[in-house]
Amino acid sequence: MSLTPADTTSAALPPLASRQAAKSQGASTPGTGTSGSGTSGHGTSSAPPAPALGVASVSHLAAKLAEYLSPADLKKVKEAYRFSDEMHLGQMRRSGEPYISHPIAVAEICADWKLDAQAIMAALLHDVMEDQDVKKEELIERFGAPVAHLVDGLSKLEKIEFQSQIEAQAENFRKMLLAMASDVRVILIKLADRLHNMRTLDFMTAAKKRRIASETMEVYVPIAHRLGLNNIYHELQDLSFSHLYPMRYRTLAKAVKAARGNRREVVNKIMEAVKSTLSLAEIEADVTGREKTLYDIYKKMRSKHLSFSQVLDVYGFRVVVGSFADCYVTLGTLHSLYKPMPGKFKDYIAIRKLNGYQSLHTTVIGPYGTPVEFQIRTQEMHRTAESGVAAHWLYKSGESNPSDLQQRTHAWLQSLLDIQQQTGDSAEFLEHVKVDLFPDSVYVFTPKSKIIALPRGATAIDFAYSIHTGIGDQTVAVKINNETSPLRTELHNGDIVEIITDCSSRPSPTWLSFVRTGKARSAIRHHLRTINLPESIALGQQLLSQALQALNIDADLPAPLVERLLNESSANSMDGLYADIGIGKRMATLVARHIFGLIGGEAANMPVEHNSGSELDPVTICGSEGVSVQLAPCCLPIPGDQIIGQLRRDQGLLVHTSDCSQAKRQRAKEPDRWIAVRWGTELNRRFDCRIKVLINSERGILARVAAEIGESDANIIYVGMDEDKDNVLDQLRFTVQVKDRVHLAALLRNVRRVAGVNRILRERN
């Protein structure tokens, strides 16, 4: 590919003449060149174009591409470069460089991964739709549909009006991630784009640096790790760290530089000993020192409360050998040289990490008693560790059978589509995806010995949903290592998990409090949102009517007002708005104040009153509602108790007793989510209630107490026994079903008369 200086001179192409004329007349440069990243203004200045524009060199990029692209592909890339150069003519970066230098830099990073011609072309063109208003149809006509689709997936949604910056950002991420699900090249180009922007972030304001660095750390760093792109993962981490905490970064960098000289003698001694020992064992190996990144040092100091010297006292080495078998022979050789530390060995070759990473990890006691960490891998494993999914590039290979890493990546990308189908809005989608991007994983087994990788902290419910959404929805019990365990049990490496299902079972809103994966969370929320939609709509309508009543607004809203409300709240219909209120996604008081503002009032920006709506008519609770209205398990309210309702996000209404200690704590944190509720007059069911009976330990006492509970017309659904420490009194614990407080009081009186019963009381949290 020969891109001479003449190639960088923008030819006067007829279709572009009008656009360039408009730019030369002082039209402001739209966009920023950071598609989908939210780094508006990052690379652009509004300075008018100079007559003789400096030329960005592309010789380095050309040399890289010539190594693996055919002449025909090089010609296509050259056409894309010239078009991009023409489009960005006159556009400058904040550093003062011609803007075309940015697409060239992004394409060069992609060329390091040896991505195909279509990806390189998209990298060169990735800002023309967003910055220069080039239509997708024009790109299809010039460069073909695949390239146009890639560029479109990288472009932000500039023409859509959003209610907030957060909503706009979330929607841009959703668009990018869904485009990535159909073609992983989208995210590879995006990561290259973000990497170059982070490398040139010094020209931004301090506030913008922090915002972009924070966004990079939250979204792009985990994605790079998830795809196994280790080099970019570590560089983005360090760059983000340097802009988020510049003083800490500079201090650590200075300390590391000073410590290198002191460590050199130990490093050389270990290196010589290892090379000599491996040579005697006739193992050909490449041994290199492995230095921790600044962010890794900082993270370890923070998480483990270690000093800088303690973190740097651990020496790291990487041993790259010729074959799979040599990895294990090398491990044995190193253990004969230095004593291994117990519990500090991990075999990521037999059970590879979620992102495809494979290595043997061992920590030994080296010279002077210092810990030494070794990573042992083959050349192929090393390539995967450094470049992840790009090391086995789908588009450069004619192989019909995808690698294991490609299959894992494809499965994860498909899970993004599953989450998208079950998610209500962009912010929620991004929340679910972020949850799945945690780098730490646990590896568990199905009863048939299939390995399932889950985020650390995942539970049995997460495991069930990872198998299939239908299995998750119908889960009723779980066996972990052949022992029945609670559904909220956290899984650990090596657990054998068996899920027990029932076709009549349905997800519980309480599962949302302990599930870890985005797939499980989105599936549960989708179920609650759809299966119980009529109930949620009815509850939401009642809550909004109450809130409107407090502002003296008729609940029967006129059609023009409804249309304005739906447009400004991004709801599809009033039923959708009611459902959002009913499941706690929107607050009725805030919607009512917004309506008040729409009709000309001044209450739209009023602070929410923290009296829990006590001036309104309470919501009536019948006790027979579905999952949109639940009785709190902490206090188990029964008719006759004073009660209060808590609107939980995406989980509906939870009813507590007014004196519940857990309710009091949560009410202090979020007072605006509590509403007045009351019991209805027609209650045709029984309610669970916990009681504790203090008894003398004597023969037949349990039978007498249970018989008296039965005689009192109450059902026993649970019984347990706790022995007193002093072995004087035992405690019987019952969960019984009663009609109301009057029924409970009669039961307590009857049981209290049983011989051997010292005391009986209702048990509270």
Side-chain angles (χ1 to χ4, degrees):
M1 175 179 180
S2 176
L3 293 178
T4 63
D7 292 328
T8 62
T9 306
S10 301
L13 302 176
L16 310 176
S18 59
R19 238 182 332 241
Q20 294 304 320
K23 286 171 66 176
S24 65
Q25 290 170 8
S28 61
T29 306
T32 68
T34 53
S35 58
S37 66
T39 55
S40 182
H42 174 95
T44 302
S45 69
S46 56
L53 190 64
V55 176
S57 171
V58 293
S59 57
H60 201 230
L61 171 63
K64 285 186 178 182
L65 296 177
E67 291 176 3
Y68 68 96
L69 289 184
S70 67
D73 285 340
L74 288 174
K75 184 178 180 182
K76 294 176 183 176
V77 171
K78 180 178 178 180
E79 291 172 4
Y81 165 74
R82 296 189 64 176
F83 182 80
S84 180
D85 186 35
E86 182 80 20
M87 288 297 93
H88 293 297
L89 180 65
Q91 190 178 359
M92 307 291 287
R93 304 197 88 214
R94 297 213 175 203
S95 61
E97 297 174 305
Y99 192 84
I100 189 63
S101 64
H102 171 63
I104 290 173
V106 174
E108 192 169 324
I109 295 170
C110 293
D112 289 335
W113 295 326
K114 292 185 168 47
L115 298 195
D116 63 350
Q118 292 176 351
I120 301 298
M121 292 164 70
L124 290 167
L125 298 165
H126 76 270
D127 280 331
V128 297
M129 287 180 68
E130 182 183 322
D131 286 8
Q132 308 305 330
D133 203 26
V134 175
K135 303 301 181 189
K136 184 177 179 180
E137 291 73 19
E138 185 175 349
L139 291 181
I140 292 174
E141 185 179 344
R142 283 177 170 269
F143 306 108
V147 173
H149 291 320
L150 288 173
V151 177
D152 182 53
L154 290 158
S155 301
K156 288 191 290 188
L157 308 177
E158 297 288 358
K159 308 305 179 187
I160 300 176
E161 292 186 10
F162 296 100
Q163 296 300 305
S164 66
Q165 174 66 21
I166 294 175
E167 184 184 345
Q169 200 68 325
E171 184 59 37
N172 285 324
F173 282 127
R174 172 153 78 167
K175 178 188 176 186
M176 178 188 72
L177 289 168
L178 292 179
M180 160 185 150
S182 60
D183 193 334
V184 77
R185 290 177 295 181
V186 169
I187 197 62
L188 293 174
I189 299 168
K190 182 64 231 174
L191 286 169
D193 175 35
R194 176 51 63 112
L195 179 61
H196 185 249
N197 282 330
M198 289 298 294
R199 287 173 176 173
T200 56
L201 202 58
D202 288 334
F203 299 96
M204 307 297 294
T205 63
K208 209 160 201 177
K209 284 181 187 177
R210 285 192 298 272
R211 179 176 64 79
I212 296 169
S214 176
E215 176 186 283
T216 301
M217 192 71 90
E218 286 182 13
V219 178
Y220 292 100
V221 165
I223 288 176
H225 187 281
R226 184 62 183 74
L227 296 177
L229 301 165
N230 255 14
N231 288 340
I232 284 192
Y233 165 67
H234 287 302
E235 187 175 353
L236 286 178
Q237 268 189 336
D238 270 10
L239 288 169
S240 300
F241 175 42
S242 70
H243 293 297
L244 286 170
Y245 306 107
M247 287 295 292
R248 300 178 196 183
Y249 180 86
R250 285 195 292 269
T251 303
L252 273 180
K254 186 177 179 182
V256 168
K257 188 176 181 180
R260 279 195 185 118
N262 302 328
R263 291 163 54 89
R264 190 171 294 122
E265 181 185 347
V266 179
V267 169
N268 290 339
K269 183 173 182 177
I270 296 171
M271 190 95 72
E272 289 173 9
V274 170
K275 286 182 177 178
S276 174
T277 304
L278 292 177
S279 177
L280 289 173
E282 298 183 349
I283 298 173
E284 291 186 12
D286 180 19
V287 184
T288 55
R290 185 174 50 84
E291 197 169 73
K292 281 184 169 64
T293 65
L294 291 181
Y295 183 73
D296 280 343
I297 294 172
Y298 171 72
K299 186 169 64 173
K300 197 163 187 177
M301 289 173 65
R302 285 288 301 269
S303 63
K304 298 192 175 181
H305 306 289
L306 300 174
S307 66
F308 174 76
S309 60
Q310 287 174 309
V311 174
L312 230 63
D313 273 349
V314 180
Y315 294 81
F317 293 87
R318 182 174 295 124
V319 183
V320 180
V321 296
S323 69
F324 174 88
D326 283 347
C327 291
Y328 292 93
V329 176
T330 301
L331 176 71
T333 305
L334 291 175
H335 282 182
S336 67
L337 176 64
Y338 300 121
K339 287 186 178 180
M341 292 178 65
K344 292 289 186 179
F345 168 68
K346 293 179 180 176
D347 189 343
Y348 290 122
I349 293 180
I351 302 179
R352 69 182 69 196
K353 286 190 175 183
L354 199 60
N355 59 14
Y357 175 89
Q358 286 184 290
S359 278
L360 297 178
H361 288 195
T362 186
T363 303
V364 299
I365 302 298
Y368 314 113
T370 56
V372 183
E373 296 174 348
F374 286 98
Q375 295 176 349
I376 308 165
R377 59 180 70 148
T378 66
Q379 191 63 50
E380 180 69 17
M381 294 172 191
H382 182 62
R383 201 158 45 242
T384 299
E386 297 303 305
S387 302
V389 71
H392 300 276
W393 185 239
L394 223 56
Y395 298 93
K396 73 174 184 183
S397 169
E399 297 175 10
S400 57
N401 297 322
S403 69
D404 181 68
L405 176 57
Q406 290 167 357
Q407 291 174 353
R408 288 165 182 259
T409 302
H410 177 73
W412 178 59
L413 297 178
Q414 286 301 308
S415 75
L416 295 182
L417 298 178
D418 294 340
I419 292 173
Q420 153 69 10
Q421 291 171 359
Q422 298 171 340
T423 300
D425 57 35
S426 305
E428 187 180 319
F429 172 78
L430 186 58
E431 174 199 340
H432 296 327
V433 172
K434 280 184 179 180
V435 167
D436 274 351
L437 288 175
F438 281 94
D440 290 335
S441 299
V442 294
Y443 299 88
V444 296
F445 296 88
T446 68
K448 294 184 178 180
S449 299
K450 180 182 177 182
I451 298 174
I452 302 292
L454 295 167
R456 193 165 298 280
T459 64
I461 292 295
D462 293 302
F463 175 87
Y465 277 104
S466 72
I467 302 296
H468 192 275
T469 301
I471 291 176
D473 285 346
Q474 297 177 6
T475 297
V476 291
V478 62
K479 285 185 177 181
I480 300 175
N481 302 323
N482 291 322
E483 293 185 4
T484 302
S485 304
L487 293 177
R488 65 186 309 130
T489 302
E490 189 174 313
L491 302 177
H492 299 94
N493 280 324
D495 283 346
I496 300 173
V497 187
E498 180 182 356
I499 299 296
I500 300 166
T501 61
D502 185 329
C503 60
S504 63
S505 177
R506 293 293 178 266
S508 166
T510 57
W511 291 359
L512 289 171
S513 64
F514 57 79
V515 293
R516 180 77 171 189
T517 60
K519 183 175 182 180
R521 191 175 298 275
S522 64
I524 295 166
R525 285 180 172 172
H526 175 71
H527 173 85
L528 298 176
R529 192 180 290 118
T530 55
I531 303 302
N532 304 286
L533 189 60
E535 181 189 329
S536 300
I537 291 172
L539 177 61
Q541 190 169 11
Q542 185 179 3
L543 293 174
L544 183 59
S545 296
Q546 288 181 339
L548 291 173
Q549 172 195 337
L551 297 174
N552 296 317
I553 301 174
D554 188 350
D556 189 13
L557 303 175
L561 182 60
V562 168
E563 186 176 352
R564 286 185 62 194
L565 175 63
L566 294 178
N567 287 337
E568 296 192 15
S569 62
S570 304
N572 296 325
S573 65
M574 283 303 292
D575 280 352
L577 186 65
Y578 291 144
D580 283 349
I581 295 172
I583 63 174
K585 187 175 180 179
R586 301 176 192 260
M587 293 301 299
T589 50
L590 297 180
V591 175
R593 281 168 169 71
H594 185 62
I595 293 171
F596 191 69
L598 290 178
I599 59 178
E602 299 179 355
N605 297 318
M606 288 171 52
V608 178
E609 297 294 334
H610 290 167
N611 56 6
S612 303
S614 57
E615 74 278 2
L616 304 178
D617 290 338
V619 174
T620 300
I621 302 298
C622 298
S624 57
E625 293 85 356
V627 295
S628 290
V629 179
Q630 289 199 317
L631 304 180
C634 53
C635 53
L636 289 179
I638 62 175
D641 288 335
Q642 294 295 317
I643 53 177
I644 190 167
Q646 177 192 16
L647 281 166
R648 300 169 301 165
R649 290 181 180 85
D650 294 320
Q651 297 182 53
L653 184 66
L654 189 67
V655 179
H656 292 262
T657 59
S658 298
D659 58 353
C660 173
S661 58
Q662 185 170 320
K664 288 178 181 177
R665 288 194 300 270
Q666 294 179 358
R667 195 172 177 184
K669 295 177 184 177
E670 294 184 302
D672 55 313
R673 286 195 165 269
W674 293 80
I675 63 171
V677 293
R678 67 182 175 197
W679 294 105
T681 55
E682 296 183 6
L683 303 171
N684 299 319
R685 57 159 285 195
R686 291 173 181 258
F687 298 83
D688 292 351
C689 180
R690 289 187 292 264
I691 61 174
K692 180 166 65 175
V693 186
L694 276 63
I695 58 170
N696 296 323
S697 184
E698 57 185 61
R699 181 180 298 178
I701 184 66
L702 175 58
R704 293 198 298 272
V705 172
E708 192 58 51
I709 292 174
E711 289 294 326
S712 301
D713 192 28
N715 301 324
I716 300 174
I717 61 173
Y718 170 80
V719 62
M721 187 173 184
D722 296 330
E723 190 173 323
D724 186 75
K725 291 180 181 178
D726 300 324
N727 206 26
V728 177
L729 296 175
D730 288 340
Q731 295 180 3
L732 292 175
R733 297 178 183 275
F734 292 91
T735 301
V736 298
Q737 291 184 321
V738 296
K739 298 174 184 176
D740 50 30
R741 279 176 67 97
V742 175
H743 185 191
L744 176 63
L747 182 149
L748 298 180
R749 283 196 303 270
N750 295 339
V751 174
R752 195 174 290 119
R753 292 196 293 263
V754 173
V757 172
N758 286 274
R759 190 180 176 199
I760 181 170
L761 65 156
R762 181 179 178 185
E763 196 169 14
R764 304 291 187 119
N765 59 335

